[in-house]
Amino acid sequence: MPLLLYFILFSMFSWLIFSLRSRKAMALLLIGAVTIASLVVPQPAQAQGGIITIIQQVLTLINGFINQALTAINTARSTLNNFRQVTIFPQQLIQQAKSRILGMVGQFRQVMAGILNLNIRSASLPTPQTLESLLRGHQVSGIGNITPAFNGTFGSVPTATDANPTDRAMSDMDDALAQDSLKLTVATDSATDVELRAADSLEDAAGQSAPGSAPFLTAAALSATVRSQALAQKMYAAELREEAAHLAHHTEIQKHGATSTTNLRQALHDLLEHR
């Protein structure tokens, strides 16, 4: 019975030993296990030398087999880490790639910022200057001020006493489509600024990202590309509307000319019959 109790205690502490990585902690646990077992299961006085022998055997086991096993584990772990850092994810090449990316980002971002910030405003009169500032301001909050500035620059729709209904309708439609496209341009410029800031953020993240995060950055870049394409499609749609209105305008001029010719022919016919 005492031997069985000693075996159980020794097994429990041995399990604790293998769950630890420190050799000193393992040795202390084993010595504590033997000491507790000797207290729980008292031995005859002549067994003191046997306890010392057991402790020495445990220390020999720790310094021998267990030491070799831990050394082999540490060697395998170091080899695996070295394989990851040198072969799979070479740190030197990764650092070189990051440095190259940061250099390219700094170079091209500065050039692009200079191009985007060029002052190309050319209006010289007060009212056209106001309209131009609104159109190039990239501010969605100023869209409501485009209509009065547009009318002040290009004129309003003629009154009913100054033009026939057809000409007034065509003028109103042309002005409406022109203002629609201009307002959409301002909104698109504002959205483009947001996309540019997102692109700068992705570039910064690419220069500081950890190995394995490239798929996430790629997904974010693809998402930004889709949004950019959506903005481009909206501008293409606006251009198509403008082209359709332009064709309709010319068609209406031809229709109006045909109507005028018919009226003139009828007036001449009436005049000749009257004679």
Side-chain angles (χ1 to χ4, degrees), residues 77-95:
R77 185 180 301 167
S78 299
T79 304
L80 180 60
N81 291 335
N82 186 67
F83 177 73
R84 290 176 178 175
Q85 296 176 3
V86 176
T87 304
I88 300 179
F89 302 112
Q91 293 183 347
Q92 183 178 1
L93 296 180
I94 292 174
Q95 190 61 38

Side-chain angles (χ1 to χ4, degrees), residues 111-248:
V111 174
M112 291 300 298
I115 294 175
L116 295 175
N117 293 327
L118 284 176
N119 185 12
I120 58 176
R121 298 181 183 181
S122 305
S124 57
L125 299 178
T127 303
Q129 283 180 345
T130 301
L131 178 61
E132 188 177 23
S133 298
L134 291 172
L135 297 180
R136 299 190 179 279
H138 297 197
Q139 298 296 326
V140 180
S141 58
I143 287 180
N145 299 324
I146 291 179
T147 298
F150 181 89
N151 293 333
T153 302
F154 298 102
S156 302
V157 176
T159 61
T161 58
D162 295 335
N164 60 56
T166 301
D167 291 337
R168 294 183 70 244
M170 291 174 59
S171 298
D172 187 31
M173 193 62 201
D174 291 342
D175 288 350
L177 284 174
Q179 293 184 50
D180 289 346
S181 297
L182 293 175
K183 293 175 182 179
L184 179 60
T185 301
V186 175
T188 304
D189 287 341
S190 179
T192 301
D193 291 341
V194 176
E195 293 297 324
L196 289 175
R197 289 194 293 270
D200 292 341
S201 178
L202 285 174
E203 287 179 344
D204 295 337
Q208 303 174 0
S209 60
S213 60
F216 301 99
L217 294 176
T218 302
L222 291 175
S223 177
T225 302
V226 172
R227 290 195 297 268
S228 178
Q229 290 295 326
L231 293 176
Q233 292 299 324
K234 290 180 71 67
M235 294 303 300
Y236 292 150
E239 185 176 359
L240 290 175
R241 287 193 296 268
E242 286 288 343
E243 184 63 24
H246 184 69
L247 293 174

